[in-house]
Amino acid sequence: MQVVLGTLLASLVPVVGFNAVMTSEHFASFLVFIVIHVVALAYYIKGILSPKMFKVAVTLVLAVGLVVCSAVIAVLIAMVASSPTKGWSGRSLSLLDPTYASKYIPIIASVSEHQPPTWPSYFMDINVLAFLVPAGIIACFLPLSDASSFMVLYIVTSVYFSGVMVRLMLVLAPAACIMSGIALSEAFDVFTRSIKCQLPGVSQNSQIDVGDSTSGSVVTQDEVVKTDKTEDSLKERPSKKNKKKERERERENVEKASIKTPIQKRLLVLPLESSVIALLLLVLLGAFYVVHCVWAAAEAYSAPSIVLTSRSHDGLHVFDDFREAYAWLSHNTEVDDKVASWWDYGYQTTAMANRTVIVDNNTWNNTHIATVGTAMSSPEKAAWEIFQSLDVKYVLVVFGGVVGYPSDDINKFLWMVRIGGGVFPHIKEPDYLRDGQYRIDSQATPTMLNCLMYKLSYYRFVETDGKGFDRVRGTEIGKKHFKLTHFEEVFTTHHWMVRIFKLKPPKNRIRGKTKKSKSKASSTTSSKRSGKSPWQ
């Protein structure tokens, strides 16, 4: 019931629609759902009908079911075969093939959440659990059961998925917590049992228990030997030499069994001091992990990304450039003005500046995003024409070269080129690279130095320090002194993190023609007065 209700509710969402039942990712879950209900129905019918009637019903159901299933499978195969991606979405194919998005769908690969995580991100997110998970996997194999084998498969698949996309660290987190809990439970069991066995009041009882267990094992083995002897005597009477050999073997087995149990228990008992210290260290480890989780939740995951902070020897510095830029747009532009920027800032501009954007964080329309990427990758005049066709009044770029903000548009520029080139073939990534390297210094390519993104980011940048040194890229820019002909700077925030440019209006061609006609008319009249031809 929950599966059916959840699927119906998901299909009511406009973005999802029939994708809840038509995409290949859901086929396996629906197949399991159907198989479970078929098995439950079979058990129910088996309890109602007699064995003969049940056999007849099974043959009838199988015959009808095969026909229906073959028809459904044929329809599904036809629908899947007609899809270029075989019914799989781009994100799902990126999970199966980590290089798929970078090859065919750069819009998915450009998202920072879809990048593979680094080792520091594992230690930042799960911290000490990264060391406890291997211990938990080992504990699951001692002994291996259905539940422990399921947990091993769970942790293996979650580790693989988290290694493909950093956003899937959320899938790894619960599996890592369960595995770490198993490891800590086994460790606490060993240490507490070691302490318990060595306490003054408990050690005698443990020794008595050990003695009782060994004596009991000897008695039971003697009884087993006696029964074996009676059975053998009934069958045949062995010789004296064989009797002696059998008695010696039985004594050796009894001695080994009596010695083995206390040895095994002694191996699990650790020294008292080391057990106490280990327990204290485990408690401290858990306490530090709680402190780390609280700090990570407060600083890394709860701090607003729109207001940036940094600490230095001068103290805490707050960078509120984003809100400053959005406030300027809200108070100094018309309500129906359209703003063009990269899609990362679309939702922020709409919500905080209350202005219409060309592209936003909803990346379903790849062609629209590619158009903006093409404009940013084109020369100034071509970009102005593209933005004019989109009825854009202002262009917003994020630049971190002054304060060292690494997530600026220059660092994201190659993704704009790749996404734009995927739709418009005249945009080619090698034109922006020098010997395969992305450069913005004097060795950068002319295409890079003349594109709109470079000009909007580094316009008047040399005025900041007199050299034009980019703190993010760690180099001086290649083109320092240039002017804008089709765009004009209207606002730059305090730390130069957000820059807003306005498109210059197109020249009035009628006025230009009238000016030319007036100049020609004046020249003809003057020539007539002087008696000369106007073309001389």
Side-chain angles (χ1 to χ4, degrees):
M1 185 63 185
Q2 295 177 354
V3 176
V4 176
L5 183 61
T7 305
L8 290 176
L9 292 176
S11 62
L12 295 177
V13 179
V15 178
V16 179
F18 285 100
N19 290 327
V21 293
M22 299 301 293
T23 54
S24 301
E25 291 88 345
H26 303 90
F27 288 170
S29 60
F30 288 137
L31 180 62
V32 173
F33 177 75
I34 293 171
V35 168
I36 290 174
H37 280 76
V38 168
V39 172
L41 180 63
Y43 277 108
Y44 175 75
I45 295 175
K46 186 177 181 180
I48 296 176
L49 301 177
S50 61
K52 293 182 178 179
M53 294 297 296
F54 180 72
K55 290 181 179 179
V56 174
V58 167
T59 54
L60 180 62
V61 169
L62 287 177
V64 177
L66 287 175
V67 176
V68 175
C69 289
S70 59
V72 172
I73 291 173
V75 172
L76 291 177
I77 291 174
M79 295 177 62
V80 169
S82 62
S83 174
T85 59
K86 307 305 179 185
W88 294 84
S89 63
R91 291 178 176 84
S92 300
L93 290 174
S94 299
L95 288 178
L96 302 176
D97 182 9
T99 62
Y100 179 83
S102 59
K103 292 179 180 177
Y104 304 105
I105 314 177
I107 186 63
I108 295 178
S110 65
V111 182
S112 59
E113 295 177 354
H114 295 164
Q115 301 297 321
T118 58
W119 283 112
S121 63
Y122 280 97
F123 297 122
M124 174 66 185
D125 292 339
I126 62 177
N127 201 254
V128 298
L129 303 187
F131 304 99
L132 294 176
V133 166
I137 295 175
I138 295 173
C140 286
F141 283 95
L142 301 172
L144 186 64
S145 60
D146 293 339
S148 60
S149 60
F150 171 77
M151 283 309 307
V152 171
L153 294 176
Y154 183 23
I155 191 67
V156 170
T157 53
S158 61
V159 167
Y160 169 75
F161 289 146
S162 67
V164 175
M165 293 184 183
V166 68
R167 70 187 301 175
L168 295 181
M169 292 290 290
L170 296 173
V171 178
L172 175 64
C177 290
I178 295 173
M179 279 296 178
S180 302
I182 294 172
L184 289 176
S185 176
E186 293 293 331
F188 274 109
D189 183 34
V190 173
F191 294 140
T192 52
R193 185 170 63 246
S194 300
I195 294 174
K196 182 179 179 181
C197 291
Q198 298 183 45
L199 289 177
V202 184
S203 60
Q204 294 180 356
N205 295 331
S206 62
Q207 290 178 359
I208 293 171
D209 295 338
V210 171
D212 293 340
S213 62
T214 54
S215 61
S217 63
V218 173
V219 171
T220 54
Q221 288 180 1
D222 288 340
E223 291 176 355
V224 171
V225 170
K226 289 180 181 179
T227 54
D228 292 339
K229 285 184 178 180
T230 53
E231 291 176 358
D232 293 337
S233 60
L234 292 173
K235 294 179 180 179
E236 59 180 359
R237 292 183 179 181
S239 60
K240 293 182 179 180
K241 292 181 179 180
N242 294 332
K243 288 182 179 179
K244 289 181 179 179
K245 290 180 180 179
E246 289 178 0
R247 288 177 183 175
E248 290 177 356
R249 291 176 182 175
E250 291 168 1
R251 288 175 183 176
E252 290 177 358
N253 293 332
V254 170
E255 290 176 356
K256 289 179 180 179
S258 61
I259 294 171
K260 189 175 181 180
T261 50
I263 287 177
Q264 289 178 347
K265 292 188 177 182
R266 286 176 187 172
L267 290 174
L268 296 176
V269 175
L270 300 176
L272 180 63
E273 295 80 4
S274 62
S275 300
V276 174
I277 294 173
L279 283 177
L280 293 176
L281 290 177
L282 288 178
V283 172
L284 288 175
L285 185 66
F288 282 124
Y289 180 64
V290 172
V291 172
H292 170 78
C293 292
V294 173
W295 175 84
E299 296 293 333
Y301 299 116
S302 297
S305 59
I306 200 170
V307 180
L308 307 175
T309 59
S310 67
R311 297 182 182 274
S312 63
H313 62 279
D314 299 333
L316 180 66
H317 297 275
V318 179
F319 301 92
D320 202 7
D321 291 44
F322 285 100
R323 292 201 305 169
E324 183 183 352
Y326 297 144
W328 187 91
L329 283 173
S330 178
H331 292 92
N332 296 276
T333 60
E334 299 295 333
V335 178
D336 57 348
D337 288 344
K338 296 181 177 62
V339 181
S341 66
W342 193 231
W343 63 264
D344 293 12
Y345 325 109
Y347 285 163
Q348 294 180 1
T349 307
T350 302
M352 303 190 69
N354 194 22
R355 293 296 178 268
T356 304
V357 295
I358 302 301
V359 290
D360 56 18
N361 301 64
N362 185 4
T363 58
W364 287 88
N365 195 334
N366 188 31
T367 305
H368 224 72
I369 296 175
T371 304
V372 176
T374 302
M376 295 295 187
S377 309
S378 302
E380 185 181 353
K381 184 178 180 180
W384 180 86
E385 293 175 352
I386 294 174
F387 285 138
Q388 277 290 116
S389 65
L390 296 174
D391 195 20
V392 171
K393 292 292 182 64
Y394 297 92
V395 179
L396 182 146
V397 295
V398 176
F399 175 63
V402 176
V403 295
Y405 178 60
S407 297
D408 61 352
D409 287 340
I410 292 293
N411 272 356
K412 301 173 183 177
F413 179 63
L414 281 184
W415 290 113
M416 303 181 193
V417 174
R418 292 164 184 167
I419 295 171
V423 179
F424 304 98
H426 69 277
I427 301 295
K428 299 178 181 179
E429 184 179 353
D431 295 339
Y432 301 84
L433 304 177
R434 173 72 70 181
D435 297 330
Q437 295 182 354
Y438 179 53
R439 307 178 71 102
I440 51 95
D441 55 5
S442 59
Q443 299 297 323
T445 60
T447 307
M448 179 66 194
L449 295 177
N450 292 315
C451 68
L452 181 67
M453 177 56 66
Y454 187 93
K455 288 187 173 182
L456 297 186
S457 297
Y458 292 112
Y459 178 66
R460 295 192 308 106
F461 178 59
V462 72
E463 299 177 7
T464 58
D465 58 355
K467 298 180 180 180
F469 184 81
D470 192 331
R471 294 182 60 184
V472 176
R473 269 63 61 175
T475 183
E476 291 186 13
I477 62 175
K479 196 173 184 179
K480 300 179 181 180
H481 303 283
F482 56 86
K483 294 182 180 180
L484 298 175
T485 57
H486 296 81
F487 295 83
E488 60 178 342
E489 181 186 7
V490 292
F491 184 72
T492 296
T493 57
H494 179 66
H495 299 98
W496 282 55
M497 288 181 60
V498 182
R499 311 193 68 183
I500 301 173
F501 295 84
K502 184 179 180 180
L503 275 74
K504 291 183 179 181
K507 294 181 179 180
N508 194 335
R509 296 180 179 178
I510 299 176
R511 184 181 299 175
K513 289 181 179 180
T514 56
K515 285 182 179 180
K516 290 181 180 179
S517 61
K518 287 181 180 180
S519 62
K520 288 181 180 180
S522 61
S523 62
T524 52
T525 54
S526 60
S527 62
K528 285 180 180 179
R529 290 176 183 176
S530 60
K532 295 181 180 180
S533 174
W535 305 109
Q536 290 179 352

